[in-house]
Amino acid sequence: MSDFLKKFSQENYEQTTQKEKLDAHASQTKTVQPEPEQLVDDTLQQSQETKSLINDTDAPMNEADVLVDLEGADEAPTKSLDEYKREDANESKDEEVEIDDGYKARKRKQYLFIGAGVTVALIIGFILFHFMTTVKYPNFVGKPVTEFQQWAKGNSIKAEVTEEYSLVDDTGVIMKQATSEGKRVKKGSTQGLVVSKGADPQQVVPLPDVASMNETEINKWVKDNKMENIKVVQEYSTDVEKGKFIRHEIRDKDVTPETLKRKDTVTIFVSKGAEVFSKDIKVPDFKGKTKADVEAWHKEKKFVSDFVYEEGYDDKLEVGMIISQGTAVDTQVSKDESLTFVVSKGKAIYVPDFSQISMGEFKDNPPTGVNATLKEWYSGYAYGTFLEQSIAPGTNIAGTQDTSVKVYYSIGKPYVGELIGMKENELAAYFYAFRDRGANISYSVSYVKPGGCEPKGTVVGASKYSQYVAMEDHVSLTVSNGNCN
C-alpha cells in the first residue's frame, strides 16, 4: 500500500499523468490491433481519471482522505488479464484504423525477389557442381599418347586404348578419340583412344635401286616408307662424290633386296667426300722413347694414316727405342699425314778390316766382337800375306744369320813333300789338305811289283815329290802290290 501511495506524491503524480497522456495519444494513431500490453495503459488511464477527480474537488484533500479513498478502491472488485484484453478489443473496434495500400504489393514483390534468388542460387549451385565434377575434353588427335596420359592423370580419367598399324602416324601417336573436342566429360570416366603402332614390321618393302640415288633421295624413301631399321651412314671417300651411294649391307644373309621386310636391318653407306684435315697436331720429341709410346700417341690423336717404322742400329739405345724421327719436333701436322720413325735394333756389330792385321797378330790376339776364323791359303803370294775376308770391312752383321767372318792369309805355293814310303791309305788326307787350302792338286795310283820287295800298299814311286807345284797340278804315284816273286 505504501508503494502505491508513493505514486501519488506530487512529483510522481505529475510524471505518471504526463506519461498516460502520451500513451493515450499514441493508442489513437495506431494502425494495428492493440497488443495485450494495453493493460498497462488502461491502468495509467484510470490513474489520470483519479487525478481529474481530485482536481475538481474544491476542498483540499489531505492524506487521510486520500488514504480512505484508496482503501475503498482496494475493496473494489479486481479484473483479470483476459477481461482487460476483451475490453481493450471492444474499444479498439471503435477506433479509426488507417490501411497502407502498398503494403501487400511490397510483400508480394519481396516474396518474388526471394523466390528468384533461391532459383538463381540453385542454378548456380548446379552449374558449379557440374563444372567441379566434369572437365572439358581437348583434341588429342595427332599428339603423343603421353600427353593424354599426363592430362588424364590430373583429371582422374582412364583410357581404353586400341592400337592399329599406320603409315601416317608414328608409334604412340593418337589417331582417333571417341569423345569429341570441347565436350565435358565426368572425372573418373573411361575414354576410348586409337593409338598408332607405327608401320607394320612384317610388310615386304623391296629395296629400290639405291645405287642410282643420292643421299637426299635415299633418306626420303626411308622416311616415306617408315623404314626405321635402315640406317644411312656417311663415310669419307676419295673415290665417290659427296652424297652418292657407296654400298649397302643387309644384316640377314638370307634376305635379298627384293624380299626385304620393314623389320630387317640395312645399313646404306653414302660418301662424305674426301676428308680435309687441318694441321693442328704438334709433333713431340720421341727420340729415346719407345715405339709403343709413338703408337699410343697415334691412337690418342686419331691419325687416319699409318706411321712408317724403319730400323737402325745404335750403340746406346736398346732394341725398340726411337733413334730419330722424320718430322721435326713441334711441327704442326694433320691426321692424314704418315710420319716416319727409326727404331733401334740394338748395338751394331761391324766387321773389322783384317788387311790391317797380320796373320801372326791374328793368331796371337784373335779379334773380339766378331766371330772371325783364320784360313791359311795357298797362293802365289808370300807366306803370311793377307789375301781376303768373307765379309767386307765395316759391314754390320748384328742380327744377321751369318755372323762368322773368314779371313784368308797366304801360305805360299803348294809344296809336295816326300811321298815315297807313305801308305796308300794316307794319300787321300794328304792331297785333301791341298784342296782345303785352295790348291787343286790331284793324284793317281798304279800298282807295281816292288823292286825292293816293299810291303803291299807302300808308295814306291811318284811323278812329283819334295818340290813346289802349281796351284793346279797332278801327281802320279806307284804303289807296291806286295808280290816280291
Side-chain angles (χ1 to χ4, degrees):
M1 178 62 94
S2 61
D3 293 334
F4 184 77
L5 289 176
K6 289 179 181 179
K7 179 179 179 183
F8 287 93
S9 65
Q10 185 64 34
E11 181 180 357
N12 291 338
Y13 181 78
E14 292 176 356
Q15 293 177 353
T16 303
T17 304
Q18 183 66 26
K19 184 176 185 303
E20 289 174 350
K21 288 181 179 182
L22 293 174
D23 292 338
H25 176 73
S27 63
Q28 292 177 359
T29 61
K30 286 182 180 179
T31 59
V32 295
Q33 295 295 331
E35 299 297 331
E37 287 78 2
Q38 187 67 33
L39 179 61
V40 177
D41 296 334
D42 293 340
T43 305
L44 292 175
Q45 181 66 29
Q46 291 178 3
S47 299
Q48 186 177 7
E49 292 175 355
T50 304
K51 182 178 178 181
S52 299
L53 180 61
I54 295 173
N55 291 333
D56 293 337
T57 305
D58 295 331
M61 184 177 292
N62 54 28
E63 287 186 13
D65 295 331
V66 174
L67 181 61
V68 171
D69 291 338
L70 292 174
E71 288 177 351
D74 289 339
E75 294 176 358
T78 305
K79 295 180 180 181
S80 66
L81 180 60
D82 292 335
E83 291 174 339
Y84 277 112
K85 288 181 178 181
R86 285 193 295 271
E87 292 177 359
D88 186 61
N90 293 330
E91 292 177 358
S92 64
K93 290 180 180 179
D94 298 330
E95 294 178 354
E96 181 178 357
V97 178
E98 183 178 354
I99 299 175
D100 188 355
D101 295 334
Y103 175 76
K104 291 184 178 180
R106 287 196 300 274
K107 282 293 183 179
R108 189 181 302 109
K109 186 181 293 184
Q110 182 179 5
Y111 292 149
L112 289 175
F113 280 130
I114 292 173
V118 172
T119 302
V120 171
L122 290 173
I123 293 173
I124 293 175
F126 175 78
I127 293 173
L128 289 176
F129 176 78
H130 176 70
F131 273 85
M132 290 175 62
T133 58
T134 62
V135 63
K136 188 176 181 180
Y137 201 80
N139 181 20
F140 291 106
V141 176
K143 297 179 180 179
V145 70
T146 53
E147 187 171 330
F148 169 83
Q149 291 170 344
Q150 184 177 1
W151 174 84
K153 183 178 180 181
N155 294 281
S156 301
I157 302 293
K158 299 177 182 179
E160 186 178 88
V161 177
T162 303
E163 292 185 322
E164 294 181 2
Y165 289 117
S166 173
L167 270 175
V168 177
D169 296 305
D170 294 333
T171 303
V173 173
I174 297 174
M175 301 167 60
K176 299 176 185 177
Q177 60 185 44
T179 303
S180 59
E181 178 185 5
K183 182 178 180 180
R184 299 197 67 85
V185 296
K186 189 174 182 181
K187 293 182 178 181
S189 62
T190 301
Q191 302 299 320
L193 298 172
V194 178
V195 179
S196 171
K197 294 197 297 182
D200 185 359
Q202 297 296 331
Q203 183 180 358
V204 175
V205 184
L207 191 69
D209 183 15
V210 290
S212 63
M213 301 166 65
N214 58 36
E215 183 178 4
T216 302
E217 293 170 338
I218 294 173
N219 282 325
K220 184 178 184 303
W221 179 84
V222 170
K223 182 179 179 180
D224 292 345
N225 290 274
K226 303 289 184 180
M227 304 298 285
E228 297 180 356
N229 289 330
I230 292 184
K231 306 300 179 184
V232 180
V233 179
Q234 294 180 331
E235 68 177 20
Y236 289 106
S237 174
T238 56
D239 302 323
V240 180
E241 182 183 348
K242 182 178 179 180
K244 295 295 184 179
F245 171 84
I246 297 177
R247 68 185 185 280
H248 72 265
E249 297 176 356
I250 301 177
R251 178 179 295 180
D252 191 343
K253 302 302 180 182
D254 296 331
V255 176
T256 65
E258 294 74 23
T259 62
L260 182 71
K261 294 183 180 179
R262 187 172 281 110
K263 68 181 182 65
D264 295 324
T265 301
V266 182
T267 303
I268 300 176
F269 295 89
V270 295
S271 174
K272 292 175 67 176
E275 186 174 10
V276 178
F277 298 98
S278 59
K279 294 181 178 292
D280 57 356
I281 303 175
K282 184 182 290 187
V283 178
D285 184 4
F286 286 105
K287 185 177 180 180
K289 296 183 179 180
T290 64
K291 180 181 177 181
D293 292 331
V294 178
E295 288 295 302
W297 180 70
H298 179 279
K299 183 177 181 180
E300 175 190 351
K301 298 301 181 181
K302 299 179 180 179
F303 278 84
V304 297
S305 57
D306 295 330
F307 288 169
V308 177
Y309 295 98
E310 298 176 353
E311 292 184 323
Y313 292 95
D314 191 280
D315 292 342
K316 297 180 180 180
L317 297 177
E318 298 178 357
V319 176
M321 304 291 283
I322 303 300
I323 299 174
S324 62
Q325 56 193 55
T327 305
V329 177
D330 293 337
T331 301
Q332 297 289 123
V333 297
S334 58
K335 292 181 180 180
D336 60 337
E337 292 189 44
S338 179
L339 308 185
T340 302
F341 297 89
V342 179
V343 183
S344 175
K345 295 173 64 176
K347 187 175 181 180
I349 302 175
Y350 296 103
V351 176
D353 184 1
F354 288 101
S355 65
Q356 305 301 316
I357 302 173
S358 67
M359 187 170 64
E361 292 174 342
F362 190 105
K363 289 181 177 182
D364 294 337
N365 297 301
T368 59
V370 294
N371 182 19
T373 303
L374 187 149
K375 294 290 291 183
E376 294 179 337
W377 206 254
Y378 291 110
S379 71
Y381 296 96
Y383 182 87
T385 302
F386 171 79
L387 297 176
E388 64 178 16
Q389 58 189 71
S390 60
I391 300 176
T395 302
N396 182 7
I397 60 174
T400 61
Q401 292 182 349
D402 186 8
T403 60
S404 178
V405 182
K406 297 180 176 63
V407 183
Y408 298 88
Y409 288 93
S410 175
I411 55 175
K413 293 180 178 181
Y415 180 83
V416 177
E418 181 59 54
L419 298 176
I420 305 301
M422 292 180 62
K423 297 298 183 183
E424 183 181 6
N425 61 352
E426 296 174 344
L427 294 176
Y430 183 82
F431 283 96
Y432 173 79
F434 287 105
R435 290 192 301 274
D436 185 51
R437 296 181 180 186
N440 186 16
I441 307 300
S442 60
Y443 74 97
S444 60
V445 175
S446 62
Y447 299 97
V448 296
K449 180 178 179 181
C453 201
E454 290 85 0
K456 183 179 180 179
T458 301
V459 176
V460 294
S463 61
K464 294 177 181 179
Y465 62 94
S466 298
Q467 66 182 69
Y468 290 98
V469 294
M471 291 295 294
E472 290 191 12
D473 210 336
H474 183 79
V475 177
S476 299
L477 300 172
T478 56
V479 177
S480 171
N481 59 9
N483 187 0
C484 293
N485 296 324

